[in-house]
Amino acid sequence: MSIAPRHERTTTAPTLEVPAAELTVEQQRELYRLLAAVRHLDVSAIAWQRQGIIPGYAPGRGQEAAQVGSAFALERGSDFVFPTYREVGVARAWGVDMVAYMSTHKATWHGGLYDPAASRFAPIQAVVGGSVLHAVGWAHGQTLDGRKADGTLNAAISYFGDGASSQGDVHEAMNFAAIFKAPVIFFVQNNGWAISVPTERQVAGGSVSARALGYGMATVQVDGNDVEAVYAATKAARAYAAAGHGPVLIEAMTYRRGPHSTSDDPGRYRSLEDERTDGGQDPVDRYAEALRTAGVADDEFFAQALAEAQAEENAIREGVAAMDPRPGTEMFDFVFQEPTGALRAQANHWREESEHV
Amino acid sequence: MSESVIEKQAGAAYPAPAVEELSMQKTINRALADALRADPKVLVLGEDVGQLGGVFRVTADLQAEFGADRVFDTPLAESGILGMSVGLAMAGYHPIPEVQFDGFAYPAVNQIIAQIGRLNYRSRGKLPMPITLRVPSFGGLRAPEMHTESLEALFAHVPGLKVVSPANPHQAYHLMRLAATMPDPVMFLEPKPRYWQKEAVDLAEPGMLDGARIAREGKHVTLVAYGAMVARCLQVAELAAEDGIQVEVVDLRWIKPLDIATLAGSVAKTKRAIVVHEAPLTAGMGGEIAAQLTQACFDLLKAPVERVTGFDVPYPSGDLEDEYVPNVDRILFGIQRVLEYRRG
Ligand SMILES: Cc1ncc(C[n+]2csc(CCOP(=O)(O)OP(=O)(O)O)c2C)c(N)n1
């Protein structure tokens, strides 16, 4: 006896054409300035932690090209970004207020103090894989809203790591997105490590994009250390999703240099020598070299980009250092849109016992 | 539409009353239809909620009327359903997701607790979560494992969630209409064993929907219940009345926020209280209510607040359900305990 299939099903995933990035000289220079600003801020933030300005930080060193290149390809005012906790480069390239962004690392407010609705950059997410489904839901909302005058949809982009890709939610998200043809980009930063566990102990099936193929999704693996390649892939993915063809998964192959967080000790799971050889060429240096070779930038440009990055970091550090703790009342203010009587009573109780006259 | 007061004053004939005999399953269906009609941003989603109308038919015919964009089946993944609802809420919609049975909320716990319950807070009020999660709840159907759970204390413990359970079809209609307009997440616990009981429902006049409701007046003892246990407590009150004991039954309705003022008001009258629920005893709502009543009415209470509840065991299979769920006799024993209590 044989069981006839109900439908003839095709399992081949669509392919995504990625044309070469066509960037103007000014855009290239802007990309470099972003990389320099993010690198300087990120490295400095580790120092801030050592100096006691902030209690902790999740460094993004090595991932600048993946973050800046992807964010640069999105459309402000229409798209929505769903970050995790390591998207400092995305936030900066997307124009998020960086003092407000860093407030999460100062333990001032979970999720950050920037306005996630106005900036279209969702609150910082501590649960690995926690917001991937949110991106799908938001993207489906765009489908329900209908196409814009130009015939396209707004797109969501969800950032997560190779470790997060082991979470069930990420698989539910990929399946949902493919079923609903949601205009969402899954942007995986495969930085080789999930804290101490390397990708090969994390991702069965060879790669995250190989899994996405199984969901019938268009996928692209890109050199995550090549900012223009990431830009081109994201631009193409965005156009594809916004045209209503459904989700795309981009797997940016990169490398997290240094520790997972300021409390991590990478010496326990790899050597500095491993880091030097596995990491490949530094993405920021690499772009500097490319621009120099192409005659797009010279010493003067690089010196100025560095000076701007330093000035910017200075201002952010001062902003962060000057940031006061939030007033205690805010603990109660934002639990509900319509607070309950019980919560008001607790707030009053707290006030009486803590605000001494 | 409410009756016109002016017409009444003019002595004109009353319009036909909007009271109908309806089951809870039907009134929730009506409430969903009316909510979908009233607000184009309301969406109904979940497993089998579309063409089938849900395994309990609570969403029957909604897809036919409102289309597959607004009433849609999802893949079979509870975290997916709830996580998608978060994103839809962020996009300006009011999703009304269903988990098919109470026990299947467990796979979605991260999305419910860490996401839905916290996003308004995390975003400092910029990303409200107007989500009404429908959870067919409680036991009594001799259903398979995980089809019979009592999750109210779990949800009530989570900051950022509101929890409500209607006890009758009238309450179910109006509480659902209300929840569907609320800007905060509401866990809407539908008592499955009450789905098919028909009762008089006034679709036009909600009455007060805030806090708890006195379901029956009495003066000797207060029974506190919610969801499916309200009907059982009313039955107990009938039986106790035969012995001259007048039981007041308070239907909590809102498990969170807890309306302690109404409970305390009742206890001020009766001086004795018993909380009845199906969920396990330890760290259940009974403990919370007892603590709050003790604080509010310590001097008035003539006996410690009693609890008649399920036991600290997994909800048992159908054959043992009647042993587990508070039955009439166990509640009557509870009444006897508080009435006969003597200070040592
Ligand atoms: C659900 C959950 N489990 C565990 C953690 C603790 N944790 C934080 S980051 C991390 C590794 C994540 O690796 P990956 O997704 O590859 O991202 P990366 O940190 O490398 O950028 C772990 C285990 C968490 N934040 N959330």
Side-chain angles (χ1 to χ4, degrees):
Chain A
M1 200 179 82
S2 72
I3 299 166
R6 185 158 163 238
H7 305 295
E8 282 303 322
R9 292 187 176 90
T10 54
T11 50
T12 42
T15 43
L16 182 76
E17 301 293 337
V18 180
E22 279 181 27
L23 290 157
T24 64
V25 163
E26 193 33 54
Q27 283 176 313
Q28 290 180 310
R29 290 158 69 101
E30 176 59 14
L31 267 182
Y32 182 81
R33 280 193 290 262
L34 284 168
L35 289 177
V38 172
R39 165 63 54 88
H40 193 76
L41 176 61
D42 183 67
V43 171
S44 301
I46 300 174
W48 303 353
Q49 193 270 334
R50 308 293 186 234
Q51 294 156 12
I53 297 171
I54 57 175
Y57 181 68
R61 184 161 182 190
Q63 299 179 223
E64 295 89 347
Q67 298 200 354
V68 165
S70 56
F72 201 68
L74 303 170
E75 301 214 352
R76 297 251 187 108
S78 79
D79 297 345
F80 209 109
V81 178
F82 293 79
T84 61
Y85 46 80
R86 201 192 295 285
E87 265 65 78
V88 66
V90 182
R92 173 61 184 85
W94 190 242
V96 175
D97 175 336
M98 294 311 287
V99 175
Y101 176 91
M102 284 293 180
S103 65
T104 195
H105 298 300
K106 192 169 182 199
T108 304
W109 194 264
H110 294 315
L113 282 172
Y114 54 91
D115 178 339
S119 64
R120 300 172 87 85
F121 190 88
I124 289 163
Q125 172 70 244
V127 178
V128 152
S131 53
V132 186
L133 278 160
H134 307 171
V136 177
W138 187 89
H140 186 59
Q142 307 315 297
T143 308
L144 295 177
D145 286 349
R147 291 176 186 249
K148 298 186 287 187
D150 68 358
T152 67
L153 298 164
N154 296 327
I157 187 164
S158 173
Y159 287 89
F160 58 96
D162 48 304
S165 81
S166 300
Q167 286 278 347
D169 269 12
V170 171
H171 294 270
E172 295 188 21
M174 289 197 230
N175 190 47
F176 273 56
I179 295 270
F180 289 108
K181 279 195 157 203
V184 58
I185 303 162
F186 297 98
F187 193 92
V188 186
Q189 290 171 80
N190 187 338
N191 65 9
W193 295 87
I195 308 189
S196 65
V197 178
T199 303
E200 54 276 21
R201 302 292 308 156
Q202 191 70 246
V203 181
S207 66
V208 185
S209 46
R211 291 165 167 181
L213 281 177
Y215 293 103
M217 206 183 293
T219 65
V220 51
Q221 242 183 3
V222 64
D223 180 347
N225 299 324
D226 178 344
V227 69
E228 290 197 9
V230 174
Y231 168 83
T234 314
K235 190 102 185 143
R238 197 213 165 265
Y240 180 92
H245 299 310
V248 182
L249 184 137
I250 299 173
E251 187 172 15
M253 308 309 286
T254 175
Y255 193 83
R256 183 249 300 157
R257 286 153 171 80
H260 166 85
S261 74
T262 44
S263 41
D264 181 30
D265 174 10
R268 284 172 173 265
Y269 53 84
R270 70 184 182 204
S271 68
L272 270 179
E273 185 51 32
D274 291 341
E275 214 167 279
R276 264 189 293 274
T277 47
D278 294 351
Q281 198 186 1
D282 179 275
V284 182
D285 295 348
R286 173 170 162 179
Y287 199 48
E289 223 174 273
L291 293 191
R292 200 188 289 275
T293 310
V296 167
D298 54 17
D299 285 349
E300 194 189 338
F301 170 80
F302 291 118
Q304 192 178 345
L306 178 63
E308 282 168 15
Q310 282 167 335
E312 185 177 312
E313 183 264 314
N314 245 329
I316 297 168
R317 176 168 28 77
E318 280 168 18
V320 169
M323 195 183 293
D324 286 329
R326 304 306 306 171
T329 45
E330 289 194 352
M331 190 159 61
F332 303 96
D333 287 347
F334 298 115
V335 180
F336 293 113
Q337 291 281 317
E338 293 176 344
T340 65
L343 193 58
R344 275 202 210 95
Q346 289 180 26
N348 287 336
H349 196 78
W350 166 83
R351 207 173 285 122
E352 278 162 22
E353 293 187 346
S354 60
E355 287 181 359
H356 309 286
V357 232
Chain B
M1 274 265 285
S2 59
E3 284 181 351
S4 161
V5 176
I6 294 162
E7 254 183 342
K8 274 186 203 168
Q9 283 171 342
Y14 290 132
V19 176
E20 289 179 53
E21 285 280 315
L22 293 169
S23 69
M24 185 183 288
Q25 176 239 30
K26 199 75 200 162
T27 58
I28 300 173
N29 179 262
R30 286 242 193 141
L32 293 172
D34 289 344
L36 283 156
R37 216 167 276 130
D39 180 357
K41 291 296 187 182
V42 167
L43 304 172
V44 168
L45 65 152
E47 293 155 17
D48 308 299
V49 298
Q51 215 168 347
L52 177 68
V55 293
F56 292 107
R57 309 292 182 270
V58 172
T59 57
D61 306 322
L62 297 179
Q63 191 177 66
E65 182 175 352
F66 298 98
D69 271 358
R70 300 196 54 207
V71 179
F72 56 93
D73 292 322
T74 64
L76 205 168
E78 288 73 19
S79 195
I81 295 166
L82 275 302
M84 178 176 198
S85 296
V86 170
L88 286 165
M90 288 174 64
Y93 287 87
H94 187 128
I96 308 186
E98 173 187 289
V99 293
Q100 205 156 67
F101 287 88
D102 31 38
F104 307 125
Y106 297 136
V109 149
N110 163 54
Q111 288 299 335
I112 297 170
I113 298 179
Q115 309 300 333
I116 293 174
R118 297 176 80 122
L119 259 158
N120 190 71
Y121 195 77
R122 190 178 293 147
S123 70
R124 300 170 61 77
K126 300 295 186 184
L127 300 173
M129 286 288 113
I131 296 174
T132 307
L133 173 60
R134 292 188 38 244
V135 189
S137 298
F138 313 121
L141 299 187
R142 303 173 73 81
E145 192 172 17
M146 311 310 287
H147 291 64
T148 294
E149 299 283 300
S150 198
L151 301 175
E152 63 280 5
L154 176 68
F155 290 146
H157 194 64
V158 176
L161 303 180
K162 294 177 179 175
V163 188
V164 71
S165 187
N168 63 37
H170 176 88
Q171 300 294 327
Y173 176 82
H174 292 290
L175 288 169
M176 174 53 78
R177 288 303 305 275
L178 176 65
T181 62
M182 286 172 62
D184 291 309
V186 176
M187 307 289 115
F188 195 87
L189 312 184
E190 299 171 4
K192 298 192 274 285
R194 305 290 301 161
Y195 267 150
W196 299 280
Q197 255 80 44
K198 287 190 177 177
E199 279 176 34
V201 175
D202 189 336
L203 293 170
E205 284 301 332
M208 269 283 283
L209 295 175
D210 245 7
R213 157 187 90 96
I214 308 290
R216 177 188 170 113
E217 306 243 10
K219 61 180 183 193
H220 295 132
V221 58
T222 299
L223 285 184
V224 182
Y226 46 85
M229 282 297 107
V230 174
R232 180 149 304 168
C233 288
L234 288 169
Q235 194 189 350
V236 167
E238 285 291 322
L239 292 169
E242 292 172 11
D243 292 330
I245 300 163
Q246 293 180 32
V247 174
E248 178 145 306
V249 179
V250 183
D251 170 7
L252 210 52
R253 292 198 296 198
W254 290 93
I255 293 157
K256 185 181 189 177
L258 200 56
D259 176 9
I260 207 67
T262 298
L263 293 184
S266 174
V267 171
K269 191 164 64 167
T270 63
K271 318 280 194 285
R272 295 172 174 89
I274 303 165
V275 189
V276 179
H277 62 61
E278 298 178 40
L281 177 75
T282 300
M285 286 307 297
E288 178 63 34
I289 294 165
Q292 291 204 34
L293 277 178
T294 305
Q295 207 170 5
C297 313
F298 185 69
D299 291 339
L300 297 173
L301 282 167
K302 295 222 164 112
V305 179
E306 268 290 336
R307 288 176 287 170
V308 180
T309 71
F311 305 107
D312 290 358
V313 302
Y315 216 110
S317 56
D319 277 358
L320 295 174
E321 224 171 44
D322 291 343
E323 304 300 322
Y324 172 86
V325 178
N327 55 28
V328 168
D329 286 342
R330 284 180 57 209
I331 301 170
L332 285 169
F333 272 121
I335 292 175
Q336 198 179 341
R337 284 199 296 276
V338 294
L339 288 175
E340 293 178 356
Y341 178 81
R342 295 279 173 274
R343 281 173 208 274

